[in-house]
Amino acid sequence: MKSILLKAGLPILILVVAAGAAQLIIASKKPPEQKEDDKKALLVDTLSASPQTVRFTVKAQGTVRPKVETDLISEVRGRVIEISPKFVNGGYFNKGDLLVRIEPADYQTALIAAKAEVARAKANLQEELARAKVAETDWKQFDLETAPELGLRKPQVAKEMANVAYAEAELEKANRDLERTMIRAPYDGMVYQKDVDLGQYLTVGAQIGIVYGTDVAEVRLPLSDNDLAYLELPFVMDRDSAVIPDVTLSAHIAGTKAEWSAQLRRSEKVIDEKTRLIYLVAEVDDPYGRNLANTDGYFPLKFGRFVQADIAGQRAENIYVFPRHVLRRGNQILLVDSENHLRLRDVEVLRTDGDSVYISAGIEDGEQVALTPISNPLDGMAVRTIPPSLPGPQGLESEPEQIAIANDGDTQE
């Protein structure tokens, strides 16, 4: 009986002893050291507001096309007997150069016949004039006051004079036809497309080729009404003005950025019904550099090339320029006051582009604008600032005049 009680009570005794030992250990353990939570304020980069003078630049793009394009058409019929070495796709030529020659034998014969006809008509006229003079003398012998015109052979003289005029007109036509057997360049240019070759028989109206003038190139630039608001108004309103906006065209060629100077010359004055855009036309003189004395480093502006265009626009003064990401919804920005507290400020935005925001009002010179993105800022929230290391984002404040890139989709109205 005692052994049974001993076996039953031993586990209970062990549990009691273990519980007591645990209580003793807990009671003898020192409490953890209490430390205050030292949470630092958010670190924020700032930029000092400084007004600037900016010149807006409207961006556009387009394809280079020749100002003058001509389809060469045969005005006479005949076989091609000569083609100039310049008359190949991409070949240059000068005004007056012979490009294609058509067999002239038939037209030379026609010219000889026309000359003979002129001589015959003039001889008939001289004969008729002599007859008229004889008739006039005869009528005077009858001592009549007035002689009939038929008696004086005036109708016959008029007929022969008409025959002379007709023969001379045919002679001029024969000369033109003979001249048209030689197709000459109408201006300085290049061959875009050659459609004939030696031995080919041409009919009147057959296409010989397509040529482009190389004196002037054009680029049609699509712009919106908002873009036009940042160009010089006298030009936009299509009035006579000495103000012609400059345009810089650019493209990457073989890994190198090439630029060409152009000028806006006209507006097409019609809004495209599909895109609701209006097209302005910029012109580039001597796009292929044919008149340059030194072409080293010059990239020809080839027809068909797609180019970007920067159009010089209006200037604006006292504008604050910041990276675009500082602008929040509702045209708000974050400022840091003198006590390092955040302040939400409503501003007036003149324009935005892909990189920058241009603020015209709502901010004062010298105020600190927070550049660090903050997801949920609170007005009055304490922050820490980073000492400025640069005078402005991407060196903006180092320039006396900033260039504002205008994109229609980013305009703030």
Side-chain angles (χ1 to χ4, degrees), residues 38-80:
D38 186 14
K39 186 177 181 181
K40 294 183 179 180
L42 182 65
L43 189 62
V44 176
D45 191 10
T46 61
L47 175 64
S48 179
S50 177
Q52 305 172 24
T53 297
V54 300
R55 181 172 185 176
F56 291 104
T57 298
V58 178
K59 275 193 170 296
Q61 60 281 320
T63 301
V64 181
R65 298 291 302 170
K67 184 176 182 179
V68 180
E69 176 181 349
T70 304
D71 291 344
L72 295 180
I73 302 296
S74 175
E75 297 180 87
V76 295
R77 65 184 64 197
R79 194 173 307 279
V80 177

Side-chain angles (χ1 to χ4, degrees), residues 141-362:
Q141 294 177 357
F142 290 99
D143 196 19
L144 297 177
E145 294 183 358
T146 58
E149 291 188 355
L150 185 60
L152 297 177
R153 303 187 66 84
K154 288 186 178 180
Q156 292 86 340
V157 171
K159 176 183 177 182
E160 295 303 330
M161 292 179 66
N163 288 338
V164 170
Y166 178 79
E168 289 178 343
E170 288 294 312
L171 177 61
E172 291 181 4
K173 181 179 181 299
N175 274 312
R176 288 196 302 270
D177 288 343
L178 180 60
E179 185 178 350
R180 287 167 179 170
T181 60
M182 296 181 291
I183 291 85
R184 298 186 179 276
Y187 42 72
D188 294 346
M190 61 177 292
V191 179
Y192 171 69
Q193 180 177 313
K194 171 189 172 187
D195 293 323
V196 298
D197 217 327
L198 284 174
Q200 185 173 345
Y201 186 84
L202 301 180
T203 59
V204 176
Q207 180 162 304
I208 297 174
I210 301 175
V211 295
Y212 290 163
T214 55
D215 288 338
V216 180
E218 289 186 341
V219 183
R220 296 174 70 239
L221 303 175
L223 298 177
S224 68
D225 287 335
N226 287 333
D227 290 331
L228 295 179
Y230 289 88
L231 297 179
E232 296 293 339
L233 287 180
F235 176 82
V236 175
M237 298 302 292
D238 298 315
R239 300 171 182 167
D240 293 336
S241 172
V243 178
I244 302 177
D246 293 326
V247 182
T248 300
L249 305 178
S250 62
H252 284 85
I253 303 176
T256 302
K257 183 178 182 180
E259 294 185 346
W260 303 268
S261 296
Q263 286 186 325
L264 286 183
R265 289 299 183 183
R266 69 180 188 274
S267 164
E268 293 188 352
K269 301 183 181 67
V270 177
I271 296 178
D272 190 283
E273 296 181 356
K274 295 180 180 179
T275 62
R276 312 310 303 172
L277 299 175
I278 189 169
Y279 285 86
L280 304 185
V281 179
E283 293 185 358
V284 179
D285 294 331
D286 193 18
Y288 280 80
R290 297 183 63 188
N291 299 324
L292 295 178
N294 185 6
T295 58
D296 292 342
Y298 179 79
F299 290 96
L301 181 58
K302 297 181 179 179
F303 299 138
R305 183 177 297 283
F306 187 80
V307 294
Q308 301 293 329
D310 294 337
I311 308 172
Q314 297 175 342
R315 286 181 173 86
E317 297 181 352
N318 296 324
I319 303 299
Y320 297 89
V321 185
F322 299 102
R324 181 174 177 173
H325 70 264
V326 306
L327 185 65
R328 303 177 61 83
R329 289 185 178 181
N331 287 353
Q332 283 188 338
I333 63 173
L334 293 177
L335 300 178
V336 178
D337 62 17
S338 59
E339 299 180 354
N340 285 348
H341 291 144
L342 282 181
R343 300 299 177 191
L344 279 79
R345 178 77 60 81
D346 294 326
V347 295
E348 294 184 12
V349 177
L350 181 62
R351 202 174 185 94
T352 62
D353 58 38
D355 299 320
S356 303
V357 56
Y358 305 90
I359 299 174
S360 58

